[in-house]
Amino acid sequence: MPSDTKKEISFTSEIRVRFTETDPLGIVWHGNYIQYFEDGREAFGREHGISYLEQKANGYTSPIVKSSCEHKLPLRYGDVATIKTTFVPSAAAKMIFQYRIFDPKGRLVCLGETIQVFLNEKGELSLTTPDFFAKWKEKMGL
């Protein structure tokens, strides 16, 4: 009997809020959450073998074409936040990641999503899934 459960590929990492990331109110400036998404995405890539360096070694870059961020609670200087980064499978030649950031008490602080496309070494948009990415998805059971 087929399962309706989708395989989740995620990675959880931590960041410590630095003083320079806070605003005059003493909370993390809203724009820094996008950087936290990148921190989570880079940690995910290193853990699961799909880092930016591995993409570049295969002749591709993957710029972000869309990002969204929904703020729930603030983080403050010195907080150690947990970032859960989850890969969202897609048949298209793109990478979709979802993020959930939690404060030290485990409360949801922020959630978001980014979408990245693939550009070849000439800077041309890849309309088909690059071979290295198809192999990665197969290795990951997607």
Side-chain angles (χ1 to χ4, degrees):
M1 184 156 89
S3 171
D4 290 337
T5 306
K6 292 182 180 180
K7 180 177 182 179
E8 180 179 286
I9 301 171
S10 63
F11 186 71
T12 300
S13 54
E14 291 183 341
I15 55 99
R16 181 178 297 275
V17 174
R18 299 179 308 171
F19 179 75
T20 59
E21 296 167 341
T22 60
D23 65 15
L25 300 175
I27 60 175
V28 170
W29 177 67
H30 67 277
N32 284 321
Y33 289 90
I34 297 293
Q35 177 65 49
Y36 297 159
F37 292 172
E38 183 171 359
D39 293 339
R41 193 171 55 254
E42 287 187 3
F44 176 99
R46 287 189 301 272
E47 176 69 16
H48 292 295
I50 193 75
S51 72
Y52 288 129
L53 292 175
E54 287 159 314
Q55 293 172 46
K56 187 156 181 66
N58 283 281
Y60 288 88
T61 58
S62 56
I64 291 176
V65 294
K66 184 178 180 182
S67 61
S68 64
C69 185
E70 186 176 336
H71 305 275
K72 303 289 187 182
L73 294 169
L75 287 171
R76 300 180 185 286
Y77 170 64
D79 281 351
V80 175
T82 301
I83 307 165
K84 182 178 181 185
T85 305
T86 304
F87 178 79
V88 179
S90 169
K94 61 183 173 182
M95 292 190 294
I96 304 170
F97 290 96
Q98 292 179 338
Y99 311 90
R100 296 175 72 81
I101 300 177
F102 300 92
D103 70 10
K105 295 179 181 177
R107 298 177 299 183
L108 181 63
V109 169
C110 180
L111 55 99
E113 182 177 275
T114 56
I115 300 175
Q116 295 169 260
V117 296
F118 293 102
L119 301 181
N120 65 21
E121 292 176 311
K122 296 177 184 177
E124 300 165 332
L125 178 65
S126 179
L127 298 177
T128 59
T129 301
D131 189 48
F132 82 94
F133 187 54
K135 288 178 182 174
W136 177 82
K137 287 170 69 172
E138 184 178 332
K139 179 179 89 169
M140 300 305 288
L142 301 173

XYZ file of all heavy atoms in Angstrom, residues 5-83:
642
model
N 2.788 9.755 3.045
C 3.759 10.545 3.786
C 4.908 10.934 2.864
O 5.524 10.081 2.244
C 4.309 9.755 4.992
O 3.211 9.316 5.776
C 5.239 10.614 5.813
N 5.187 12.211 2.779
C 6.299 12.696 1.976
C 7.564 12.675 2.823
O 7.538 12.969 4.009
C 6.027 14.118 1.485
C 4.904 14.202 0.494
C 4.716 15.611 0.021
C 3.587 15.682 -0.978
N 3.352 17.029 -1.473
N 8.671 12.332 2.170
C 9.953 12.315 2.865
C 10.384 13.752 3.135
O 10.356 14.591 2.235
C 11.002 11.600 2.004
C 12.357 11.542 2.648
C 13.330 10.760 1.799
C 14.657 10.707 2.527
N 15.641 9.949 1.764
N 10.746 14.031 4.372
C 11.230 15.362 4.722
C 12.748 15.340 4.837
O 13.301 14.497 5.535
C 10.635 15.841 6.042
C 11.131 17.235 6.420
C 10.543 17.761 7.705
O 9.359 18.140 7.691
O 11.280 17.782 8.716
N 13.371 16.246 4.116
C 14.820 16.398 4.215
C 15.060 17.772 4.826
O 14.721 18.802 4.231
C 15.496 16.284 2.845
C 15.176 14.925 2.229
C 17.000 16.467 2.980
C 15.601 14.794 0.801
N 15.599 17.782 6.032
C 15.810 19.045 6.726
C 17.115 18.997 7.513
O 17.751 17.946 7.625
C 14.629 19.355 7.651
O 14.520 18.369 8.649
N 17.484 20.142 8.028
C 18.648 20.240 8.893
C 18.393 21.368 9.883
O 17.840 22.406 9.526
C 19.927 20.525 8.094
C 21.160 20.487 8.933
C 21.649 19.283 9.423
C 21.838 21.649 9.254
C 22.785 19.230 10.208
C 22.974 21.613 10.042
C 23.452 20.403 10.524
N 18.797 21.136 11.112
C 18.622 22.134 12.155
C 19.990 22.663 12.569
O 20.910 21.885 12.829
C 17.901 21.515 13.370
O 16.614 21.031 12.926
C 17.689 22.536 14.469
N 20.107 23.978 12.586
C 21.356 24.632 12.975
C 21.036 25.749 13.968
O 19.874 26.056 14.202
C 22.070 25.194 11.739
O 21.205 26.038 11.000
N 22.073 26.310 14.541
C 21.891 27.395 15.514
C 22.715 28.610 15.124
O 23.771 28.482 14.504
C 22.310 26.943 16.919
C 21.404 25.909 17.526
C 21.800 25.547 18.950
O 22.962 25.812 19.363
O 20.940 25.005 19.668
N 22.213 29.765 15.508
C 22.969 31.021 15.377
C 22.841 31.764 16.704
O 21.856 31.596 17.427
C 22.459 31.915 14.208
C 20.960 32.207 14.327
C 22.755 31.274 12.874
C 20.663 33.527 14.917
N 23.830 32.571 17.010
C 23.761 33.446 18.177
C 23.594 34.867 17.657
O 24.364 35.324 16.815
C 25.024 33.339 19.030
C 24.967 34.240 20.285
C 26.197 34.090 21.154
N 26.325 32.738 21.674
C 25.717 32.294 22.785
N 24.924 33.093 23.472
N 25.893 31.065 23.190
N 22.578 35.555 18.145
C 22.310 36.921 17.700
C 23.435 37.836 18.166
O 23.754 37.900 19.355
C 20.951 37.422 18.236
C 20.746 38.890 17.883
C 19.816 36.565 17.706
N 24.028 38.524 17.194
C 25.111 39.467 17.493
C 24.538 40.867 17.737
O 23.457 41.206 17.245
C 26.101 39.514 16.328
C 26.762 38.165 16.072
C 27.707 38.199 14.921
N 27.058 38.761 13.737
C 27.692 39.076 12.628
N 28.984 38.898 12.526
N 27.047 39.576 11.593
N 25.294 41.666 18.465
C 24.866 43.030 18.782
C 24.578 43.820 17.512
O 23.597 44.570 17.443
C 25.951 43.731 19.616
C 25.605 45.148 19.955
C 24.669 45.437 20.930
C 26.213 46.199 19.277
C 24.343 46.743 21.237
C 25.893 47.513 19.580
C 24.958 47.781 20.564
N 25.414 43.654 16.480
C 25.252 44.420 15.244
C 23.986 44.056 14.475
O 23.617 44.753 13.536
C 26.457 44.217 14.309
O 26.573 42.823 13.999
C 27.739 44.708 14.939
N 23.310 42.978 14.864
C 22.092 42.551 14.178
C 20.828 43.125 14.809
O 19.730 42.886 14.318
C 22.019 41.015 14.168
C 23.162 40.392 13.380
C 23.319 38.907 13.603
O 22.810 38.373 14.610
O 23.978 38.273 12.760
N 20.994 43.881 15.885
C 19.835 44.441 16.570
C 19.627 45.903 16.195
O 20.546 46.589 15.756
C 19.970 44.312 18.100
O 21.126 45.015 18.535
C 20.084 42.853 18.505
N 18.409 46.375 16.392
C 18.069 47.762 16.080
C 17.986 48.565 17.387
O 18.219 48.023 18.473
C 16.774 47.816 15.265
C 15.545 47.318 16.023
O 15.599 47.179 17.265
O 14.518 47.080 15.364
N 17.656 49.851 17.317
C 17.574 50.668 18.543
C 16.549 50.163 19.564
O 16.613 50.523 20.736
C 17.195 52.051 18.016
C 17.751 52.093 16.632
C 17.555 50.692 16.111
N 15.617 49.310 19.136
C 14.642 48.749 20.064
C 15.213 47.555 20.839
O 14.549 47.007 21.719
C 13.376 48.315 19.317
C 12.631 49.410 18.563
C 11.475 48.804 17.775
C 12.131 50.468 19.533
N 16.425 47.121 20.441
C 17.059 45.992 21.116
C 16.632 44.636 20.579
O 16.908 43.609 21.191
N 15.946 44.638 19.445
C 15.518 43.375 18.829
C 16.207 43.233 17.475
O 16.720 44.199 16.910
C 13.986 43.301 18.672
C 13.463 44.433 17.780
C 13.313 43.339 20.043
C 11.967 44.367 17.484
N 16.209 42.017 16.955
C 16.822 41.783 15.650
C 16.078 42.580 14.585
O 14.849 42.529 14.499
C 16.828 40.275 15.312
C 17.245 40.046 13.865
C 17.755 39.522 16.251
N 16.847 43.341 13.803
C 16.281 44.098 12.682
C 15.683 43.102 11.697
O 16.278 42.067 11.397
C 17.366 44.947 12.033
C 16.900 45.704 10.835
C 16.002 46.739 10.815
C 17.285 45.471 9.485
N 15.807 47.176 9.533
C 16.589 46.403 8.685
C 18.135 44.570 8.865
C 16.730 46.458 7.311
C 18.275 44.628 7.491
C 17.572 45.563 6.729
N 14.499 43.394 11.172
C 13.742 42.442 10.356
C 14.508 41.898 9.153
O 14.349 40.743 8.769
C 12.401 43.049 9.911
C 12.557 44.177 8.955
N 12.822 45.471 9.355
C 12.499 44.196 7.605
C 12.913 46.245 8.292
N 12.721 45.498 7.221
N 15.353 42.706 8.546
C 16.110 42.272 7.367
C 17.128 41.178 7.661
O 17.533 40.442 6.757
N 17.538 41.049 8.906
C 18.538 40.032 9.245
C 17.985 38.617 9.223
O 18.752 37.651 9.151
C 19.164 40.322 10.607
C 20.151 41.454 10.516
O 20.900 41.570 9.561
N 20.141 42.317 11.517
N 16.671 38.463 9.262
C 16.109 37.112 9.225
C 16.393 36.433 7.886
O 16.570 35.211 7.833
C 14.611 37.137 9.531
C 14.347 37.463 10.981
C 14.187 38.782 11.410
C 14.301 36.456 11.939
C 13.974 39.081 12.748
C 14.080 36.740 13.281
C 13.928 38.063 13.669
O 13.721 38.356 14.996
N 16.478 37.210 6.812
C 16.842 36.642 5.506
C 18.271 36.082 5.573
O 18.556 35.022 5.005
C 16.694 37.693 4.384
C 15.226 38.137 4.240
C 17.260 37.181 3.071
C 14.271 37.064 3.740
N 19.162 36.783 6.284
C 20.523 36.272 6.485
C 20.492 34.980 7.300
O 21.244 34.041 7.015
C 21.388 37.318 7.199
C 22.802 36.833 7.518
C 23.624 36.568 6.280
O 23.680 37.407 5.391
N 24.254 35.414 6.209
N 19.628 34.899 8.279
C 19.503 33.665 9.063
C 19.016 32.518 8.177
O 19.444 31.373 8.342
C 18.560 33.859 10.249
C 19.017 34.888 11.259
C 18.112 35.477 12.124
C 20.356 35.282 11.352
C 18.514 36.416 13.065
C 20.766 36.221 12.288
C 19.834 36.784 13.137
O 20.234 37.715 14.061
N 18.120 32.835 7.226
C 17.694 31.805 6.276
C 18.906 31.291 5.499
O 19.057 30.090 5.286
C 16.655 32.349 5.290
C 15.311 32.690 5.870
C 14.376 33.340 5.087
C 14.967 32.380 7.173
C 13.121 33.663 5.582
C 13.716 32.698 7.693
C 12.789 33.340 6.885
N 19.758 32.221 5.072
C 20.961 31.819 4.332
C 21.880 30.973 5.207
O 22.439 29.976 4.745
C 21.711 33.028 3.794
C 22.912 32.631 2.957
C 23.552 33.791 2.231
O 23.071 34.936 2.331
O 24.560 33.535 1.552
N 22.035 31.351 6.459
C 22.845 30.545 7.382
C 22.294 29.121 7.445
O 23.054 28.145 7.393
C 22.856 31.159 8.783
C 23.583 32.486 8.853
O 24.418 32.776 7.977
O 23.311 33.253 9.807
N 20.987 29.003 7.557
C 20.358 27.684 7.609
C 20.523 26.921 6.312
O 20.795 25.713 6.313
N 20.371 27.616 5.195
C 20.489 26.987 3.878
C 21.919 26.493 3.635
O 22.141 25.398 3.108
C 20.065 27.985 2.801
C 19.841 27.408 1.445
C 19.203 28.414 0.485
N 19.930 29.664 0.366
C 19.550 30.829 0.903
N 18.437 30.915 1.602
N 20.272 31.916 0.734
N 22.903 27.295 4.041
C 24.298 26.876 3.872
C 24.608 25.664 4.750
O 25.290 24.739 4.314
C 25.244 28.030 4.168
C 25.234 29.076 3.070
C 26.301 30.151 3.266
O 27.092 30.062 4.218
O 26.329 31.060 2.429
N 24.102 25.653 5.979
C 24.315 24.508 6.866
C 23.639 23.263 6.284
O 24.212 22.169 6.300
C 23.788 24.812 8.270
N 22.430 23.427 5.749
C 21.724 22.329 5.091
C 22.573 21.788 3.939
O 22.747 20.575 3.793
C 20.368 22.815 4.565
C 19.601 21.769 3.795
C 18.598 21.055 4.418
C 19.870 21.509 2.456
C 17.877 20.086 3.716
C 19.168 20.543 1.756
C 18.168 19.827 2.389
N 23.080 22.674 3.106
C 23.873 22.274 1.941
C 25.124 21.501 2.317
O 25.458 20.488 1.688
N 25.816 21.975 3.354
C 27.021 21.262 3.799
C 26.651 19.878 4.333
O 27.350 18.899 4.065
C 27.753 22.069 4.874
C 28.464 23.298 4.338
C 29.344 23.940 5.405
N 28.613 24.342 6.594
C 28.014 25.521 6.765
N 28.051 26.422 5.814
N 27.385 25.804 7.893
N 25.569 19.799 5.086
C 25.149 18.528 5.682
C 24.687 17.517 4.639
O 24.963 16.329 4.742
C 24.027 18.781 6.696
C 23.438 17.523 7.302
C 24.369 16.780 8.243
O 25.386 17.362 8.696
O 24.092 15.603 8.525
N 23.978 17.993 3.621
C 23.337 17.086 2.674
C 24.011 17.026 1.301
O 23.470 16.428 0.365
C 21.860 17.446 2.519
C 21.044 17.177 3.742
N 20.841 15.903 4.233
C 20.398 18.012 4.587
C 20.096 15.963 5.320
N 19.811 17.235 5.561
N 25.190 17.640 1.166
C 25.949 17.506 -0.072
C 25.436 18.295 -1.251
O 25.585 17.872 -2.398
N 24.855 19.462 -0.996
C 24.341 20.307 -2.083
C 24.719 21.774 -1.827
O 23.963 22.696 -2.087
C 22.810 20.106 -2.263
C 22.288 20.705 -3.569
C 22.038 20.628 -1.079
C 22.622 19.901 -4.773
N 25.937 21.979 -1.322
C 26.391 23.329 -0.964
C 26.631 24.180 -2.211
O 26.703 23.676 -3.334
C 27.683 23.249 -0.150
O 28.765 22.866 -0.998
N 26.790 25.474 -1.985
C 27.090 26.391 -3.088
C 28.393 26.004 -3.777
O 28.513 26.101 -4.998
C 27.180 27.832 -2.580
C 25.856 28.434 -2.198
C 25.675 29.044 -0.967
C 24.779 28.407 -3.071
C 24.459 29.602 -0.612
C 23.557 28.967 -2.723
C 23.407 29.560 -1.497
O 22.214 30.104 -1.150
N 29.385 25.559 -3.008
C 30.661 25.155 -3.602
C 30.487 23.924 -4.488
O 31.103 23.832 -5.554
C 31.702 24.904 -2.514
C 32.156 26.152 -1.745
C 33.092 25.771 -0.605
C 32.808 27.158 -2.679
N 29.644 22.996 -4.077
C 29.379 21.812 -4.900
C 28.615 22.189 -6.172
O 28.875 21.648 -7.249
C 28.630 20.762 -4.081
C 29.570 20.104 -3.070
C 28.868 19.445 -1.907
O 27.958 20.065 -1.323
O 29.261 18.324 -1.593
N 27.715 23.140 -6.057
C 27.002 23.606 -7.243
C 27.978 24.258 -8.218
O 27.952 23.980 -9.421
C 25.911 24.597 -6.841
C 24.788 23.965 -6.040
C 23.818 24.990 -5.502
O 23.401 25.887 -6.228
N 23.447 24.862 -4.239
N 28.852 25.096 -7.691
C 29.835 25.787 -8.529
C 30.780 24.800 -9.194
O 31.128 24.956 -10.370
C 30.611 26.809 -7.704
C 31.520 27.689 -8.536
C 31.792 28.989 -7.833
C 32.671 29.908 -8.631
N 32.057 30.379 -9.863
N 31.186 23.763 -8.463
C 32.067 22.736 -9.023
C 31.396 22.013 -10.194
O 32.083 21.464 -11.066
C 32.466 21.735 -7.940
N 30.075 22.029 -10.227
C 29.324 21.405 -11.311
C 28.910 22.401 -12.392
O 28.119 22.070 -13.283
C 28.089 20.685 -10.755
C 28.459 19.372 -10.109
O 28.674 18.384 -10.806
N 28.576 19.347 -8.799
N 29.422 23.641 -12.296
C 29.176 24.632 -13.331
C 27.911 25.446 -13.179
O 27.442 26.046 -14.142
N 27.359 25.496 -11.969
C 26.100 26.217 -11.766
C 26.175 27.145 -10.554
O 26.940 26.925 -9.621
C 24.935 25.241 -11.545
C 24.534 24.525 -12.803
C 25.160 23.333 -13.164
C 23.556 25.046 -13.638
C 24.803 22.674 -14.337
C 23.196 24.391 -14.806
C 23.823 23.207 -15.149
O 23.471 22.562 -16.307
N 25.338 28.156 -10.603
C 25.037 28.977 -9.436
C 23.524 28.900 -9.243
O 22.800 28.473 -10.156
C 25.463 30.448 -9.633
O 24.796 30.971 -10.793
C 26.968 30.570 -9.808
N 23.062 29.321 -8.068
C 21.617 29.215 -7.806
C 21.120 30.463 -7.075
O 20.918 30.455 -5.871
C 21.314 27.955 -6.993
O 22.067 27.942 -5.803
N 20.925 31.545 -7.828
C 20.434 32.770 -7.200
C 18.998 32.640 -6.707
O 18.204 31.872 -7.251
C 20.523 33.809 -8.323
C 20.414 33.002 -9.576
C 21.092 31.688 -9.274
N 18.711 33.395 -5.674
C 17.347 33.449 -5.145
C 16.506 34.355 -6.029
O 16.911 35.469 -6.350
C 17.350 33.950 -3.691
C 17.994 32.886 -2.801
C 15.939 34.280 -3.205
C 18.148 33.282 -1.363
N 15.337 33.862 -6.423
C 14.428 34.663 -7.236
C 13.186 35.082 -6.458
O 12.434 35.950 -6.900
C 14.023 33.927 -8.540
C 15.235 33.750 -9.446
C 13.358 32.591 -8.242
N 12.976 34.454 -5.301
C 11.837 34.829 -4.469
C 12.135 34.474 -3.023
O 12.698 33.425 -2.731
C 10.568 34.089 -4.925
C 9.321 34.493 -4.158
C 8.081 33.785 -4.673
C 6.859 34.210 -3.883
N 5.659 33.497 -4.327
N 11.758 35.370 -2.126
C 11.880 35.079 -0.696
C 10.679 35.675 0.025
O 10.142 36.705 -0.379
C 13.184 35.644 -0.119
O 13.243 37.035 -0.259
N 10.267 34.980 1.071
C 9.181 35.491 1.908
C 9.555 35.251 3.363
O 10.275 34.311 3.680
C 7.849 34.821 1.575
O 7.910 33.441 1.865
N 9.059 36.123 4.211
C 9.422 36.062 5.625
C 8.240 36.574 6.449
O 7.721 37.660 6.187
C 10.646 36.946 5.843
S 11.346 36.904 7.478
N 7.827 35.770 7.409
C 6.713 36.152 8.282
C 7.218 36.164 9.726
O 7.671 35.142 10.238
C 5.564 35.150 8.119
C 4.326 35.547 8.865
C 3.169 34.584 8.603
O 3.151 33.902 7.564
O 2.288 34.513 9.479
N 7.121 37.321 10.346
C 7.632 37.502 11.705
C 6.537 37.249 12.735
O 5.422 37.734 12.586
C 8.179 38.919 11.872
C 9.214 39.260 10.837
N 10.529 38.926 10.986
C 9.104 39.870 9.638
C 11.202 39.336 9.928
N 10.359 39.903 9.079
N 6.893 36.494 13.773
C 5.936 36.155 14.834
C 6.323 36.788 16.170
O 5.497 37.370 16.844
C 5.845 34.637 15.003
C 5.458 33.887 13.744
C 4.022 34.130 13.403
C 3.569 33.260 12.239
N 2.204 33.517 11.863
N 7.596 36.619 16.546
C 8.130 37.138 17.808
C 9.534 37.666 17.551
O 10.192 37.223 16.612
C 8.207 36.029 18.868
C 6.898 35.424 19.366
C 7.190 34.170 20.203
C 6.126 36.437 20.197
N 10.032 38.558 18.387
C 11.383 39.075 18.174
C 12.467 38.185 18.800
O 12.222 37.473 19.769
C 11.353 40.434 18.870
C 10.375 40.235 19.996
C 9.325 39.300 19.445
N 13.645 38.250 18.190
C 14.854 37.730 18.822
C 15.611 38.925 19.379
O 15.466 40.050 18.884
C 15.742 37.001 17.799
C 15.272 35.644 17.323
C 16.142 35.149 16.163
C 15.280 34.639 18.471
N 16.442 38.684 20.396
C 17.206 39.756 21.038
C 18.686 39.412 21.070
O 19.064 38.248 20.938
C 16.693 39.980 22.458
C 15.221 40.380 22.482
C 14.693 40.617 23.899
N 13.264 40.886 23.876
C 12.703 42.015 23.461
N 13.447 42.997 23.048
N 11.396 42.159 23.479
N 19.488 40.445 21.269
C 20.940 40.264 21.363
C 21.278 39.149 22.352
O 20.733 39.097 23.453
C 21.597 41.580 21.796
C 23.055 41.428 22.139
C 23.975 41.051 21.175
C 23.498 41.645 23.434
C 25.308 40.902 21.489
C 24.833 41.503 23.765
C 25.732 41.131 22.783
O 27.047 40.971 23.100
N 22.156 38.232 21.921
C 22.592 37.139 22.776
C 21.757 35.878 22.682
O 22.202 34.817 23.120
N 20.539 35.970 22.121
C 19.712 34.768 21.974
C 20.411 33.754 21.074
O 21.049 34.125 20.081
C 18.354 35.102 21.327
C 17.352 35.710 22.282
O 17.619 35.725 23.497
O 16.289 36.153 21.797
N 20.273 32.492 21.408
C 20.696 31.412 20.523
C 19.422 30.882 19.870
O 18.557 30.324 20.551
C 21.440 30.302 21.283
C 21.766 29.142 20.347
C 22.720 30.854 21.909
N 19.329 31.114 18.581
C 18.136 30.725 17.837
C 18.403 29.443 17.066
O 19.520 29.176 16.628
C 17.730 31.834 16.874
N 17.359 28.669 16.887
C 17.427 27.423 16.128
C 16.746 27.648 14.784
O 15.630 28.176 14.732
C 16.714 26.293 16.890
O 17.341 26.135 18.168
C 16.792 24.982 16.125
N 17.434 27.249 13.719
C 16.895 27.393 12.364
C 16.658 25.996 11.799
O 17.597 25.212 11.667
C 17.876 28.134 11.443
C 18.300 29.464 12.045
C 17.269 28.315 10.048
C 19.511 30.078 11.379
